[in-house]
């Protein structure tokens, strides 16, 4: 996690250095900036840019920001740059004496609540958590989604669900994937409630009158293509195969093909745009996949495997995965979809 810490005095710097040491031991890449002309000579970065410019840059580059100083300083600094709870970095304020650690922004999705508690442990501060679902110990759908790597399709509806739970009204729950752990008592299985949560990759599956869709990145796009196929054609093939299977495109988590395509520019560009990994297999590995796949003598002569898109999708889905949309062809591209064996967990 890329983390920025800013302080405004010698005392704040002492606390910042202690925080940085602890965070870096837990996997952060933390750096300290100092906005003060009254710091003893130390090997620290004294920020020459304005606090406004510093904050703007950190919002673009970092996952978490710590302000060692008054909450008011932090609030004024971040206010112009706040956009959305699903994109804003976590922001935490810690007073210079290390008494309190306060998450200010992105408490759940950005992880600020957890980071504030971690900072409190490292510095001896008291974490001050104000998120309603936390203080009332009510199920938090945004935190649940983050921990299970689920995309929230409607943040407004997520807020409505939290409000319903806080008022004591039950919320429905449905999952197409196996669930472990104890279902919170505020959630009820079935479709008898008007408001509910649905975990699925099915595009138009709305089991409740108001359905909050949570989408796992469980979809594997298997693809074969002619040499030099443009990125636009790859994207069109992906959207078409999703439409055929009525699958939500935002579920895409991985693309796969034969190793002959590992440098294919159109494929690589598609994966960069979608921010997903690209996995390849040898012809021998593809032919070792067990299952019923569409066979092509032409593809076999060219690549050594009788099918690329279905076999690569199936293999990349891993143990327990399954092919859900078979080979679709057009514009020099063959495409198929597989689904990983995704598991949903409730913490006890």
């Amino acid at each position: 996690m890329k983390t920025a810490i800013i302080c405004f005095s010698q005392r704040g710097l002492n606390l910042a250095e202690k925080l940085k040491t602890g965070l870096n031991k837990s996997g952060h890449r933390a750096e300290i900036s100092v906005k003060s002309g009254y710091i003893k000579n130390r090997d620290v970065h004294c920020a020459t840019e304005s606090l406004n410019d510093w904050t703007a840059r950190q919002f673009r580059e970092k996952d978490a920001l710590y302000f060692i100083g008054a909450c008011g300083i932090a609030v004024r600094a971040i206010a112009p740059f706040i956009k959305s709870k699903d994109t804003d970095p976590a922001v935490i304020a810690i007073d210079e004496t290390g008494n309190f650690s306060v998450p200010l922004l992105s408490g759940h999705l950005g992880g600020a609540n957890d980071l504030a508690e971690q900072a409190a442990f490292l510095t001896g501060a008291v974490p001050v958590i104000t998120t309603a679902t936390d203080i009332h110990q009510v199920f938090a759908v945004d935190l649940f989604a983050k921990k299970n790597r689920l995309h929230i399709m409607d943040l407004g509806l997520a807020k409505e669900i939290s409000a319903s739970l806080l008022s004591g009204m039950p919320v429905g729950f449905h999952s197409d994937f196996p669930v472990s752990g104890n279902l919170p008592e505020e959630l009820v299985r079935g479709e008898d409630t008007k408001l509910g949560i649905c975990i699925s990759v099915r595009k138009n599956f709305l089991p409740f009158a108001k359905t909050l869709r949570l989408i796992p990145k469980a979809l594997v796009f298997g693809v074969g293509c002619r040499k030099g196929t443009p990125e636009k054609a790859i994207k069109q093939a992906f959207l078409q195969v999703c439409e055929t299977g009525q699958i939500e495109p935002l579920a895409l988590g991985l693309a796969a093909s034969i190793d002959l395509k590992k440098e294919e520019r159109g494929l690589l560009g598609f994966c960069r745009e979608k921010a997903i990994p690209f996995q390849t297999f040898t012809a021998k590995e593809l032919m070792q996949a067990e299952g019923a796949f569409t066979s092509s003598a032409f593809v076999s002569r060219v690549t050594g495997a009788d099918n690329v898109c279905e076999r690569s999708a199936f293999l990349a889905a891993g143990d327990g995965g399954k092919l859900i949309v078979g080979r679709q062809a057009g514009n020099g591209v063959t495409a198929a979809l597989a689904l990983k064996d995704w598991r949903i967990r409730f913490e006890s």
Side-chain angles (χ1 to χ4, degrees):
M1 176 175 280
K2 294 181 286 186
T3 303
I5 306 169
I6 191 165
C7 57
F8 307 91
S9 69
Q10 180 65 51
R11 194 165 188 175
L13 176 58
N14 295 338
L15 186 63
E17 290 178 327
K18 183 177 182 180
L19 178 62
K20 176 184 175 181
T21 299
L23 289 174
N24 285 347
K25 286 181 179 178
S26 64
H28 287 247
R29 287 176 286 166
E31 60 183 38
I32 298 173
S33 295
V34 180
K35 285 292 294 181
S36 174
Y38 302 96
I39 300 295
K40 297 176 184 178
N41 291 331
R42 291 197 181 195
D43 185 21
V44 296
H45 171 65
C46 290
T48 57
E49 60 194 332
S50 68
L51 181 58
N52 185 78
D53 290 343
W54 181 90
T55 307
R57 181 166 58 84
Q58 306 308 329
F59 258 62
R60 293 192 302 269
E61 299 175 357
K62 300 298 193 296
D63 303 305
L65 282 64
Y66 286 90
F67 286 79
I68 310 298
C71 283
I73 295 175
V75 170
R76 290 180 185 277
I78 68 176
F81 310 108
I82 297 173
K83 293 181 179 179
S84 172
K85 65 189 295 182
D86 61 338
T87 59
D88 294 331
V91 178
I92 301 96
I94 306 175
D95 65 280
E96 290 188 349
T97 57
N99 288 322
F100 301 104
S101 176
V102 187
L104 299 177
L105 189 66
S106 295
H108 285 164
L109 292 182
N113 286 1
D114 290 340
L115 292 172
E117 291 183 341
Q118 183 181 14
F121 175 78
L122 293 171
T123 63
V126 175
V128 182
I129 310 299
T130 60
T131 315
T133 51
D134 290 270
I135 62 176
H136 290 288
Q137 296 184 325
V138 170
F139 171 76
V141 65
D142 50 356
L143 185 58
F144 167 77
K146 180 182 179 180
K147 290 183 176 180
N148 282 278
R149 296 176 293 153
L150 306 170
H151 177 77
I152 300 174
M153 291 295 288
D154 187 334
L155 289 172
L157 194 51
K159 185 176 180 179
E160 187 174 337
I161 281 178
S162 292
S164 180
L165 292 171
L166 287 166
S167 67
M169 298 296 292
V171 168
F173 178 80
H174 173 89
S175 175
D176 283 349
F177 299 88
V179 176
S180 63
N182 296 321
L183 191 73
E185 60 182 16
E186 307 99 311
L187 302 183
V188 293
R189 292 187 184 274
E191 303 173 10
D192 294 333
T193 58
K194 292 183 178 180
L195 183 62
I197 297 165
C198 176
I199 304 172
S200 175
V201 300
R202 288 186 276 175
K203 189 175 182 179
N204 296 313
F205 181 52
L206 303 171
F208 308 98
K210 285 188 175 181
T211 301
L212 175 63
R213 298 167 63 212
L214 302 181
I215 311 298
K217 295 289 186 178
L219 194 65
V220 181
F221 175 42
V223 56
C225 63
R226 295 172 185 162
K227 185 176 181 180
T229 298
E231 180 182 338
K232 182 179 180 180
I234 302 293
K235 185 175 182 179
Q236 289 174 338
F238 170 67
L239 293 176
Q240 182 57 54
V241 76
C242 286
E243 185 64 26
T244 297
Q246 285 297 288
I247 302 298
E248 172 57 56
L250 286 173
L252 181 62
L254 175 66
S257 189
I258 193 168
D259 60 354
L260 296 174
K261 298 299 175 182
K262 63 183 178 182
E263 302 295 336
E264 191 69 44
R265 292 179 63 182
L267 264 171
L268 295 176
F270 172 83
C271 292
R272 280 194 301 269
E273 180 191 338
K274 300 297 184 182
I276 59 170
F278 179 42
Q279 186 174 357
T280 61
F281 302 92
T282 65
K284 182 179 179 180
E285 288 172 326
L286 291 177
M287 291 304 295
Q288 289 175 343
E290 297 181 359
F293 304 104
T294 307
S295 180
S296 167
F298 173 75
V299 173
S300 183
R301 287 196 304 271
V302 173
T303 68
D306 66 357
N307 181 293
V308 171
C309 61
E310 292 178 350
R311 288 181 178 274
S312 62
F314 178 78
L315 284 178
D319 293 341
K322 60 182 180 180
L323 197 66
I324 58 172
V325 182
R327 180 181 180 273
Q328 307 286 308
N331 297 323
V333 183
T334 59
L337 297 177
L339 200 62
K340 293 183 179 181
D341 182 23
W342 204 269
R343 300 298 173 112
I344 305 301
R345 179 172 178 79
F346 286 99
E347 296 184 350
S348 301

